[in-house]
Amino acid sequence: MKKFKLEDIEKKHGLKAPPERYFDELPGIIQAQTAHKATSKRNFAWSGALRYALPAVVVLLVVVFIIRGLNQQDLDPESMIADVAIEEVMAYLEETDISTEELIASVDWDEASLDFEKDLEGAGILDEIELQEEDMLELFQEYNITEEYL
Amino acid sequence: MEDQELIAKLRVEESRNFAFNQLVRKYQERIYWHIRKMVIDHDDSDDLVQDVFIKVWNNLSKFREDSKLYTWIYRIATNECLNFLNKKKKRFFIPLMDIEAEMVSKLDRNAHIDGDEIHLRLQKALMKLPHKQRLVFNMKYFDEMKYEDISEITGTSIGGLKASYHHAVKKIEEILSQD
């Protein structure tokens, strides 16, 4: 068996050459890709920011709206009182130390929806109060309402 | 353009594209054949050589001038080759059919051989070597690179490279003597 020696053969890899003009075109192909990747990288940075930042902003806005909604409810005494039954309000007023004078003083009469003009004409809230004459006299005595106030 | 000049121009934004174009033109054939001798197939080599230069472009800022520019590029090409061959190996589940056999069959189909029969036999013998040993053999035998440069590329000591190369030569000569 003849001993083969590498140095005895021509130093050739023997692989077929690439297609014609391959090395002429390769630099352009590569640079087109590097330019494209530079653009995609910038877009990717923005899309990445949107992908993560946008949901976070939406969640934050929802939380803010919820908190504002709750706060508005908390700061709306009229709506809170409107939800309370009248019987409970009456019971509270009877038990509390607030005097009648204090209650009357707390009302903003300018805002109060009392139609006195109607009352003068004979119609109005007084007519809606179903009080007998005897009851009215009793009230007048109790609150010391003399003729000069009538 | 000399490597020093290329590096200087690559560092400046205005001249980077031009310098990179020059870099590709300077090294494309060497890198292509470095890869082609490992993977045999032209289309695979084409994909890999493009990947290599794109990686070079993306990592220009990381290039430290403690190594030569061309050994740095060769190192990237070597890693791409080894990753490609290792990935291909994992795709073969049947033990009898492995990547070396696939590449030998490619050689046999004559699609990639343009030389004497002895060179076909040489390529087949090279397929029997481990990938890294074949790499070292190619760089030393075909490219006639210095051991110092091969050491920079592979990260292997010069002594280890010399041992690996001489062992590869002995093995190939044995295989070719038996045929």
Side-chain angles (χ1 to χ4, degrees):
Chain A
M1 184 175 65
K2 187 190 171 194
K3 184 92 169 108
F4 176 86
K5 285 277 183 197
L6 261 179
E7 60 207 32
D8 294 337
I9 63 168
E10 186 187 359
K11 201 176 273 187
K12 242 167 81 170
H13 54 68
L15 297 169
K16 216 169 214 174
E20 211 175 305
R21 294 186 54 76
Y22 174 73
F23 291 116
D24 293 332
E25 291 164 6
L26 185 60
I29 293 169
I30 290 167
Q31 286 210 272
Q33 290 193 59
T34 55
H36 172 71
K37 278 188 187 300
T39 315
S40 318
K41 231 181 188 175
R42 281 196 293 273
N43 291 342
F44 179 74
W46 276 110
S47 70
L50 281 173
R51 192 185 304 163
Y52 297 108
L54 201 56
V57 167
V58 168
V59 167
L60 195 63
L61 284 172
V62 167
V63 168
V64 165
F65 277 122
I66 289 171
I67 290 171
R68 282 187 68 188
L70 286 171
N71 286 343
Q72 276 178 355
Q73 274 186 327
D74 290 342
L75 296 172
D76 190 1
E78 282 185 26
S79 62
M80 283 179 71
I81 290 170
D83 289 340
V84 180
I86 291 175
E87 292 81 14
E88 289 180 25
V89 172
M90 295 298 289
Y92 170 76
L93 288 173
E94 282 172 9
E95 285 170 17
T96 193
D97 288 336
I98 301 173
S99 66
T100 309
E101 287 78 15
E102 283 172 334
L103 274 175
I104 292 168
S106 69
V107 174
D108 185 349
W109 295 106
D110 291 333
E111 293 291 322
S113 56
L114 294 172
D115 196 341
F116 288 104
E117 283 184 12
K118 270 190 177 176
D119 286 338
L120 287 173
E121 290 171 11
I125 66 164
L126 289 177
D127 290 316
E128 291 173 15
I129 301 172
E130 292 172 0
L131 277 178
Q132 302 300 321
E133 194 175 39
E134 303 87 48
D135 297 329
M136 280 176 69
L137 286 172
E138 203 178 306
L139 280 170
F140 291 156
Q141 276 181 333
E142 189 179 333
Y143 290 101
N144 204 25
I145 299 172
T146 56
E147 275 191 14
E148 64 181 283
Y149 293 111
L150 291 173
Chain B
M1 202 185 286
E2 291 296 321
D3 280 359
Q4 285 301 110
E5 196 183 343
L6 266 177
I7 293 165
K9 287 192 187 299
L10 285 167
R11 298 254 186 254
V12 178
E13 201 180 326
E14 288 80 20
S15 54
R16 190 170 297 141
N17 283 330
F18 170 76
F20 182 68
N21 184 277
Q22 295 301 302
L23 180 150
V24 172
R25 289 182 188 282
K26 185 174 181 180
Y27 290 110
Q28 60 177 339
E29 285 194 56
R30 268 189 274 182
I31 296 300
Y32 170 85
W33 285 113
H34 177 63
I35 293 169
R36 177 83 185 271
K37 287 197 288 288
M38 288 301 293
V39 306
I40 307 299
D41 184 76
H42 163 72
D43 291 329
D44 290 339
S45 307
D46 181 36
D47 289 340
L48 286 170
V49 82
Q50 290 184 40
D51 289 345
V52 166
F53 281 109
I54 288 166
K55 276 209 165 138
V56 166
W57 170 261
N58 289 337
N59 291 285
L60 281 172
S61 57
K62 293 180 191 168
F63 170 64
R64 297 184 305 274
E65 292 172 58
D66 52 356
S67 67
K68 297 189 201 74
L69 180 62
Y70 96 94
T71 56
W72 181 64
I73 297 172
Y74 256 86
R75 193 173 337 130
I76 294 173
T78 300
N79 289 337
E80 287 296 299
C81 267
L82 292 175
N83 289 341
F84 173 82
L85 291 170
N86 287 334
K87 262 189 217 172
K88 222 171 177 177
K89 203 169 192 173
K90 284 177 188 170
R91 284 189 220 138
F92 287 91
F93 298 109
I94 307 164
L96 291 176
M97 183 67 174
D98 58 18
I99 184 172
E100 286 79 16
E102 194 219 14
M103 286 161 75
V104 165
S105 72
K106 278 186 180 176
L107 289 170
D108 274 334
R109 284 195 300 270
N110 265 327
H112 304 285
I113 285 295
D114 187 24
D116 301 336
E117 191 206 333
I118 187 64
H119 296 108
L120 174 60
R121 285 169 58 200
L122 173 60
Q123 286 294 335
K124 285 186 182 181
L126 285 172
M127 293 300 135
K128 295 186 196 299
L129 299 177
H131 299 321
K132 281 188 180 172
Q133 193 174 40
R134 187 153 61 98
L135 259 169
V136 173
F137 179 86
N138 287 340
M139 284 191 276
K140 189 65 192 161
Y141 179 74
F142 291 114
D143 300 341
E144 295 179 343
M145 288 172 81
K146 293 181 201 167
Y147 280 118
E148 289 78 9
D149 291 340
I150 301 173
S151 174
E152 256 188 54
I153 292 164
T154 60
T156 309
S157 67
I158 293 174
L161 291 170
K162 284 180 180 177
S164 177
Y165 176 70
H166 286 291
H167 188 250
V169 169
K170 201 173 164 189
K171 196 167 177 183
I172 290 163
E173 287 176 346
E174 272 177 21
I175 294 169
L176 291 177
S177 301
Q178 285 166 8
D179 286 350

